[in-house]
Amino acid sequence: MDDSEKIIADSIEDIEIRLLLEAIFQRYHYDFRKYSYASIKRRMVQAKSNFKCSSFSQLQDMLLNDENLFHQMFAYLTVQVTEMFRDPSYFKAIRTQVVPHLKTFPSLKVWVAGCSSGEELWSLMILFHEEGLLDRTMFYGTDINTDALEKAERGVFSLDRMPLYSKNFSQTGSEHSLSEYYTAAYGAAKFDKSLKKHAVFSDHSLVSDSVFAEVHLISCRNVLIYFQKDLQDRAFGLFKNSLVRGGFLGLGSKETIRFSSHEQAFENFNRLEKIYQKRTGAVI
């Protein structure tokens, strides 16, 4: 195949992928059309190969006619890369800088948006327990992947991940061992279910759903990097409208609210850890 033929083939492939994303939206009402195209394309290529399809048009036909196959496809469309206390310095900043502010509220709501399989949510519940805030806090873990939400609610993670998670935890300023919060059996670590009494797990899309609660802290890390700019802007507007005045927003290390139309509603609380605080005078 010469260069001109490759350009044409790539162009046709891109058309097929965009038509497939449109078909998924029309058939199943999940909107991936404004996700980062490069990221979506990589995952689509992998799915096409694994489902043994010769083209994206064939994959589209299969997905439209087989709902069970679409649920399998979710593993490719949604990114499930996470770990407990990922980027420990972020959690240390929450512990030492954000928590003192949160302690001034009589009750708290925390939203982990795009919680995936729940590692970050459980991390925050453990941290809030140690800081004496768990009993007055309600946690909301949301994601569009219901399979991931079910795993998050179970609070059971692979035991071979615990050395990494424990190492992360030890760098957050805790005086305890992570092993105090789980029991190990059959190659799995099951976390203390008493923590889960304070959590609600719910299907929620940053692409299409609206505000569902007034919260004091939103942690949405390494989710928006997969969105195009206008979709990021929608999410930031959702976060702004969900936060109480003086509430906090935590983003991933490669994410920023800069250049968003909602930038002026926030101030940099911890620039290095990408923690922002909603201005007390911000208009909702």
XYZ file of all heavy atoms in Angstrom, residues 102 105-113 121-122 124-126 128-129 132-142 153 194-202 212-219 242-244:
402
model
N -12.571 21.252 55.888
C -13.783 20.448 55.906
C -14.287 20.214 57.334
O -15.489 20.034 57.553
C -13.523 19.096 55.225
C -13.163 19.157 53.733
C -12.938 17.757 53.187
C -14.238 19.874 52.924
N -17.344 22.137 58.776
C -18.723 21.866 58.377
C -19.337 20.804 59.297
O -18.673 19.821 59.638
C -18.778 21.358 56.931
C -18.404 22.393 55.902
C -17.103 22.476 55.429
C -19.349 23.272 55.407
C -16.745 23.414 54.476
C -19.012 24.216 54.441
C -17.705 24.292 53.980
N -20.599 20.953 59.679
C -21.234 19.950 60.550
C -21.474 18.613 59.858
O -21.493 17.567 60.502
C -22.562 20.607 60.939
C -22.841 21.596 59.841
C -21.499 22.091 59.393
N -21.693 18.638 58.547
C -21.850 17.408 57.770
C -21.225 17.626 56.405
O -21.083 18.775 55.941
C -23.323 17.024 57.625
O -24.033 18.025 56.913
N -20.838 16.519 55.759
C -20.069 16.625 54.522
C -20.584 15.661 53.469
O -21.105 14.587 53.788
C -18.586 16.308 54.786
C -17.824 17.252 55.698
C -16.512 16.612 56.136
C -17.559 18.580 55.010
N -20.397 16.060 52.212
C -20.649 15.174 51.081
C -19.431 15.212 50.163
O -18.923 16.295 49.842
C -21.904 15.597 50.321
C -23.191 15.401 51.108
C -24.407 15.849 50.313
C -25.686 15.640 51.124
N -26.885 16.135 50.385
N -18.981 14.026 49.780
C -17.807 13.884 48.923
C -18.213 13.110 47.673
O -18.850 12.051 47.776
C -16.658 13.149 49.651
C -15.493 12.891 48.702
C -16.199 13.951 50.863
N -17.842 13.606 46.525
C -18.194 12.971 45.253
C -16.919 12.540 44.538
O -16.068 13.374 44.227
C -18.999 13.951 44.401
C -19.381 13.440 43.035
C -19.401 12.154 42.598
C -19.810 14.246 41.922
N -19.820 12.087 41.285
C -20.076 13.353 40.846
C -19.998 15.606 41.738
C -20.508 13.803 39.596
C -20.438 16.062 40.500
C -20.691 15.161 39.444
N -16.777 11.248 44.295
C -15.695 10.728 43.466
C -16.311 10.438 42.101
O -17.041 9.464 41.918
C -15.058 9.462 44.068
C -13.935 8.962 43.159
C -14.519 9.757 45.458
N -16.060 11.314 41.151
C -16.665 11.237 39.823
C -15.781 10.391 38.907
O -14.579 10.637 38.798
C -16.833 12.642 39.239
N -12.151 5.926 45.914
C -13.228 6.142 46.877
C -12.903 5.496 48.220
O -13.044 6.124 49.276
C -14.536 5.577 46.328
C -15.761 5.664 47.231
C -16.105 7.107 47.524
C -16.943 4.958 46.596
N -12.455 4.243 48.189
C -12.088 3.568 49.433
C -10.899 4.262 50.099
O -10.822 4.338 51.327
C -11.795 2.096 49.167
C -13.046 1.295 48.975
C -13.723 1.087 47.808
C -13.796 0.609 49.980
N -14.844 0.326 48.010
C -14.909 0.013 49.341
C -13.640 0.430 51.339
C -15.857 -0.745 50.037
C -14.574 -0.335 52.033
C -15.672 -0.906 51.383
N -10.274 7.476 50.088
C -10.778 8.669 50.770
C -11.580 8.298 52.017
O -11.500 8.992 53.041
C -11.631 9.501 49.815
C -10.850 10.294 48.769
C -11.790 10.902 47.731
C -10.021 11.405 49.433
N -12.320 7.203 51.959
C -13.080 6.798 53.145
C -12.134 6.432 54.290
O -12.397 6.764 55.450
C -14.013 5.633 52.801
C -15.187 6.040 51.924
S -16.508 4.802 51.781
C -15.684 3.490 50.871
N -11.045 5.746 53.966
C -10.056 5.404 54.996
C -9.421 6.676 55.559
O -9.276 6.833 56.780
C -8.980 4.466 54.417
C -9.575 3.085 54.146
C -7.787 4.353 55.371
C -8.671 2.169 53.344
N -10.672 9.730 55.628
C -11.655 10.466 56.432
C -11.894 9.771 57.771
O -12.110 10.433 58.792
C -12.963 10.622 55.656
C -12.997 11.832 54.765
C -11.991 12.058 53.826
C -14.027 12.745 54.856
C -12.006 13.169 53.000
C -14.056 13.864 54.040
C -13.057 14.078 53.108
N -11.847 8.445 57.781
C -11.962 7.711 59.039
C -10.828 8.104 59.980
O -11.053 8.363 61.168
C -11.926 6.207 58.767
C -11.720 5.363 59.987
N -12.690 5.182 60.954
C -10.621 4.673 60.412
C -12.218 4.419 61.914
N -10.967 4.090 61.615
N -11.263 11.493 61.584
C -12.438 11.693 62.421
C -13.632 12.301 61.705
O -14.532 12.842 62.363
N -13.672 12.180 60.383
C -14.751 12.792 59.608
C -15.725 11.788 59.007
O -16.740 12.182 58.428
C -14.168 13.641 58.467
C -13.467 14.943 58.856
C -12.861 15.605 57.621
C -14.431 15.894 59.535
N -15.430 10.506 59.123
C -16.229 9.509 58.414
C -17.692 9.527 58.842
O -18.599 9.461 57.997
C -15.639 8.108 58.634
C -16.315 6.989 57.861
C -16.095 7.165 56.364
C -15.772 5.622 58.296
N -17.957 9.630 60.135
C -19.330 9.510 60.630
C -20.217 10.666 60.194
O -21.449 10.538 60.226
C -19.336 9.409 62.162
C -18.837 8.060 62.632
O -18.845 7.113 61.824
O -18.417 7.953 63.803
N -19.638 11.778 59.773
C -20.477 12.900 59.317
C -20.337 13.157 57.812
O -20.666 14.236 57.331
C -20.166 14.166 60.115
C -18.724 14.583 60.159
C -18.621 15.975 60.771
N -17.401 16.161 61.536
C -16.781 17.332 61.654
N -17.263 18.399 61.050
N -15.681 17.431 62.365
N -19.853 12.141 57.108
C -19.638 12.293 55.668
C -20.411 11.238 54.890
O -20.453 10.071 55.265
C -18.139 12.161 55.329
O -17.384 13.119 56.079
C -17.908 12.418 53.840
N -21.024 11.681 53.785
C -21.624 10.775 52.821
C -20.794 10.831 51.547
O -20.503 11.913 51.029
C -23.074 11.164 52.517
C -23.742 10.247 51.507
S -23.804 8.518 52.029
C -24.971 8.623 53.391
N -20.382 9.656 51.075
C -19.565 9.562 49.866
C -20.432 9.092 48.696
O -21.241 8.167 48.841
C -18.422 8.563 50.067
C -17.391 9.015 51.055
C -17.559 8.761 52.417
C -16.250 9.680 50.648
C -16.615 9.171 53.334
C -15.298 10.089 51.563
C -15.483 9.836 52.914
N -20.236 9.714 47.565
C -20.919 9.306 46.334
C -19.866 8.849 45.327
O -18.995 9.637 44.926
C -21.709 10.466 45.745
C -22.813 10.975 46.642
C -22.577 12.019 47.535
C -24.081 10.399 46.616
C -23.579 12.485 48.372
C -25.092 10.861 47.456
C -24.832 11.905 48.331
O -25.822 12.357 49.174
N -19.939 7.597 44.927
C -19.062 7.078 43.885
C -19.875 6.878 42.622
O -20.848 6.123 42.623
N -19.512 7.562 41.551
C -20.290 7.467 40.314
C -19.409 7.070 39.140
O -18.222 7.384 39.087
C -20.992 8.796 39.983
O -20.010 9.804 39.678
C -21.864 9.261 41.128
N -18.427 -1.265 44.917
C -19.273 -1.460 46.096
C -18.830 -2.667 46.915
O -18.926 -2.658 48.147
C -20.735 -1.608 45.674
C -21.701 -1.613 46.831
C -23.150 -1.441 46.396
O -23.412 -1.442 45.170
O -24.017 -1.293 47.279
N -17.732 -1.682 57.235
C -18.279 -0.573 58.021
C -18.006 0.766 57.342
O -18.753 1.733 57.522
C -17.704 -0.571 59.438
O -16.314 -0.273 59.429
N -16.939 0.824 56.551
C -16.654 2.053 55.806
C -17.729 2.313 54.763
O -18.121 3.452 54.507
C -15.290 1.941 55.120
C -14.064 1.780 56.011
C -12.837 1.445 55.157
C -13.809 3.046 56.806
N -18.235 1.219 54.174
C -19.186 1.319 53.066
C -20.543 1.849 53.493
O -21.346 2.275 52.659
C -19.323 -0.048 52.397
C -20.006 -0.034 51.052
C -19.985 -1.406 50.405
C -20.745 -2.442 51.187
N -20.811 -3.743 50.496
N -20.825 1.839 54.791
C -22.097 2.366 55.277
C -22.271 3.830 54.920
O -23.388 4.342 54.904
C -22.189 2.208 56.808
C -22.261 0.778 57.294
C -22.561 0.731 58.778
C -21.524 1.491 59.597
N -21.766 1.380 61.062
N -21.176 4.471 54.631
C -21.204 5.903 54.349
C -21.115 6.205 52.859
O -20.839 7.341 52.473
C -20.056 6.596 55.091
C -20.061 6.358 56.565
N -20.736 7.163 57.457
C -19.495 5.368 57.318
C -20.583 6.703 58.682
N -19.831 5.620 58.629
N -21.337 5.203 52.020
C -21.144 5.390 50.573
C -22.384 5.006 49.779
O -23.104 4.074 50.125
C -19.951 4.563 50.088
N -22.611 5.763 48.715
C -23.660 5.476 47.743
C -22.996 5.342 46.382
O -22.183 6.190 45.993
C -24.711 6.606 47.698
C -25.713 6.369 46.573
C -25.430 6.728 49.038
N -23.327 4.291 45.665
C -22.753 4.044 44.345
C -23.850 4.226 43.301
O -24.931 3.648 43.426
C -22.158 2.637 44.274
C -21.069 2.404 45.282
C -21.372 1.987 46.576
C -19.740 2.613 44.948
C -20.369 1.785 47.518
C -18.736 2.415 45.881
C -19.045 2.002 47.162
N -23.553 5.016 42.280
C -24.615 5.352 41.337
C -24.076 5.553 39.934
O -22.967 6.076 39.729
C -25.320 6.640 41.797
O -26.320 7.034 40.897
N -26.581 16.340 40.960
C -27.473 15.503 41.759
C -27.329 15.749 43.258
O -28.107 15.229 44.052
C -27.226 14.021 41.472
C -25.893 13.500 41.938
C -25.744 12.943 43.183
C -24.776 13.602 41.123
C -24.517 12.475 43.617
C -23.549 13.133 41.538
C -23.410 12.568 42.792
N -26.327 16.544 43.677
C -26.133 16.799 45.097
C -25.248 18.037 45.274
O -24.495 18.413 44.366
C -25.489 15.596 45.784
N -25.363 18.661 46.436
C -24.461 19.753 46.798
C -23.357 19.159 47.660
O -23.626 18.590 48.723
C -25.225 20.843 47.564
C -24.387 22.098 47.808
C -25.178 23.177 48.498
O -25.748 22.903 49.583
O -25.223 24.304 47.983
N -22.118 19.267 47.198
C -21.022 18.549 47.843
C -19.908 19.500 48.269
O -19.821 20.642 47.815
C -20.445 17.462 46.906
C -21.535 16.457 46.528
C -19.850 18.074 45.645
N -19.043 18.988 49.141
C -17.965 19.792 49.703
C -16.606 19.481 49.076
O -15.699 20.308 49.114
C -17.894 19.588 51.214
C -19.170 19.936 51.918
N -20.263 19.082 51.950
C -19.544 21.057 52.591
C -21.244 19.659 52.627
N -20.839 20.849 53.029
N -16.483 18.270 48.545
C -15.246 17.869 47.882
C -15.593 16.988 46.690
O -16.373 16.042 46.821
C -14.336 17.095 48.854
C -13.131 16.356 48.238
C -12.136 17.347 47.630
C -12.443 15.473 49.285
N -15.022 17.324 45.542
C -15.134 16.483 44.354
C -13.728 16.031 43.981
O -12.819 16.857 43.844
C -15.751 17.236 43.157
C -17.182 17.667 43.471
C -15.727 16.359 41.904
C -17.787 18.575 42.407
N -13.552 14.741 43.827
C -12.288 14.201 43.341
C -12.574 13.513 42.013
O -13.317 12.533 41.957
C -11.693 13.213 44.350
O -10.344 12.911 44.041
N -22.076 21.901 41.495
C -22.268 20.896 42.540
C -21.604 21.294 43.856
O -22.023 20.832 44.926
C -21.703 19.542 42.086
O -22.347 19.060 40.937
N -20.571 22.105 43.791
C -19.802 22.441 44.987
C -20.440 23.566 45.792
O -20.953 24.539 45.229
C -18.380 22.868 44.600
C -17.399 21.758 44.229
C -16.143 22.364 43.615
C -17.040 20.911 45.448
N -20.380 23.425 47.109
C -20.731 24.549 47.974
C -19.669 25.626 47.791
O -18.559 25.360 47.320
C -20.793 24.115 49.453
C -21.820 23.010 49.662
C -19.412 23.659 49.951
